[in-house]
Amino acid sequence: MLVYPSGIDLSTSSLRFLARQLSTRHREQGTRWRRLPAGRQALLVLAHLRCGDTYARLAAGFEVGIATVYRYVAEAVEVLAALAPDLRTAACTASTKAFVILDGTLLPIDRIAADRPFYSGKHKKHGMNVQIITDPAGRLVWASPALPGAVHDIKAARTHGIIDALEEAGVECWADKGYRGAGGTMRLPYWGRWETLSAGQQAVNRSHARIRALVEQAMATLKTWRLLRKLRCSTTRITSLVQAVLTLHLTCSN
């Protein structure tokens, strides 16, 4: 396999943060020797998460075995996922904002037609449903655990307890019509065909759409991590990957 120099569009703060976390993990485990030091392992993991590089490509580039790459990635993802904020923490953060925006996104996966629980009728493809909470500027605040793509947004929000958590925190939340009937502090657009709405209702819906459109910025930010654009791993690992990316984004963007 040919090897060539490449780059990752991340700041060095991401590398330093992950390297520190891995060094701490190694000391706790009493590890005496590693094929790669913590800094190189962190670089390997960031290349996998950010660029979507396969284990085989990483193994060739870092001159280690494919099994070693798998262990290093799994270890780093576990460390990062453990640091991700839970919903209660996210609700506390949201309580300091004027309001938040909630929406769901589909992370595509490589499943076949027989895997119906993962097929999203809305997006016409297989994937995992992840709920996103952003602040008024469209910055990512929290990402939920992944559910099968067939799960509707309102059901996902109730499953995760998002509606109750935001209501308890007293935070107003803008959402689309997919959350109709959610109650709590959810603010939704008027329901009905556009031509049947009054002029006032149409104006409200336009304003609502302009505010809610900012959530697309957070979704785009999440998917700049190319691994999440097409997941080819077990669906049981996707939540950990999302939480790992969330930790890196929140820690290194502040």
Side-chain angles (χ1 to χ4, degrees), residues 113 128 206 216 226 234 254:
M128 300 294 285
R206 288 194 195 96
E216 299 298 334
R226 295 175 184 85
S234 169
N254 294 331

Side-chain angles (χ1 to χ4, degrees), residues 125-181:
K125 57 185 175 183
H126 293 78
M128 300 294 285
N129 181 307
V130 174
Q131 298 294 299
I132 304 295
I133 296 178
T134 73
D135 67 9
R139 292 184 292 262
L140 184 63
V141 173
W142 183 73
S144 75
L147 293 174
V151 177
H152 196 272
D153 282 342
I154 180 62
K155 182 177 179 180
R158 287 171 174 161
T159 300
H160 298 309
I162 297 173
I163 300 169
D164 293 337
L166 294 178
E167 184 177 13
E168 290 176 5
V171 182
E172 288 191 348
C173 179
W174 265 249
D176 62 21
K177 295 178 181 178
Y179 298 88
R180 185 186 181 194

Side-chain angles (χ1 to χ4, degrees), residues 6-229:
S6 185
I8 306 175
D9 55 341
L10 290 172
S11 67
T12 55
S13 61
S14 301
L15 180 65
R16 291 195 299 267
F17 170 76
L18 181 53
R20 286 196 303 270
Q21 298 302 321
L22 290 173
S23 295
T24 301
R25 173 68 171 261
H26 297 168
R27 286 195 301 270
E28 292 174 350
Q29 292 181 334
T31 303
R32 295 184 178 181
W33 182 84
R34 289 281 179 127
R35 185 69 178 79
L36 295 178
R40 293 286 289 172
Q41 180 183 354
L43 184 62
L44 181 153
V45 173
L46 291 177
H48 178 64
L49 295 177
R50 187 70 173 187
C51 304
D53 288 342
T54 63
Y55 294 157
R57 292 176 62 182
L58 293 171
F62 286 85
E63 299 180 342
V64 296
I66 294 178
T68 300
V69 173
Y70 176 84
R71 290 196 303 270
Y72 281 178
V73 170
E75 179 185 43
V77 168
E78 180 183 349
V79 169
L80 291 171
L83 299 174
D86 57 15
L87 181 57
R88 183 180 296 275
T89 302
C92 291
T93 302
S95 66
T96 65
K97 312 293 183 181
F99 61 89
V100 295
I101 309 169
L102 173 66
D103 203 356
T105 186
L106 188 80
L107 301 182
I109 60 175
D110 60 341
R111 287 297 182 269
I112 60 176
D115 297 316
R116 298 301 298 177
F118 300 99
Y119 184 78
S120 170
K122 175 182 178 181
H123 298 276
K124 307 302 181 184
K125 57 185 175 183
H126 293 78
M128 300 294 285
N129 181 307
V130 174
Q131 298 294 299
I132 304 295
I133 296 178
T134 73
D135 67 9
R139 292 184 292 262
L140 184 63
V141 173
W142 183 73
S144 75
L147 293 174
V151 177
H152 196 272
D153 282 342
I154 180 62
K155 182 177 179 180
R158 287 171 174 161
T159 300
H160 298 309
I162 297 173
I163 300 169
D164 293 337
L166 294 178
E167 184 177 13
E168 290 176 5
V171 182
E172 288 191 348
C173 179
W174 265 249
D176 62 21
K177 295 178 181 178
Y179 298 88
R180 185 186 181 194
T185 56
M186 305 290 283
R187 299 193 63 174
L188 309 176
Y190 284 103
W191 183 269
R193 297 179 63 86
W194 183 259
E195 58 273 12
T196 64
L197 299 178
S198 67
Q201 291 173 332
Q202 291 178 358
V204 169
N205 281 10
R206 288 194 195 96
S207 177
H208 189 282
R210 284 195 294 269
I211 293 172
R212 201 185 58 79
L214 294 173
V215 76
E216 299 298 334
Q217 176 180 324
M219 292 183 180
T221 298
L222 191 65
K223 292 181 180 179
T224 56
W225 299 82
R226 295 175 184 85
L227 183 69
L228 301 182
R229 295 180 185 177

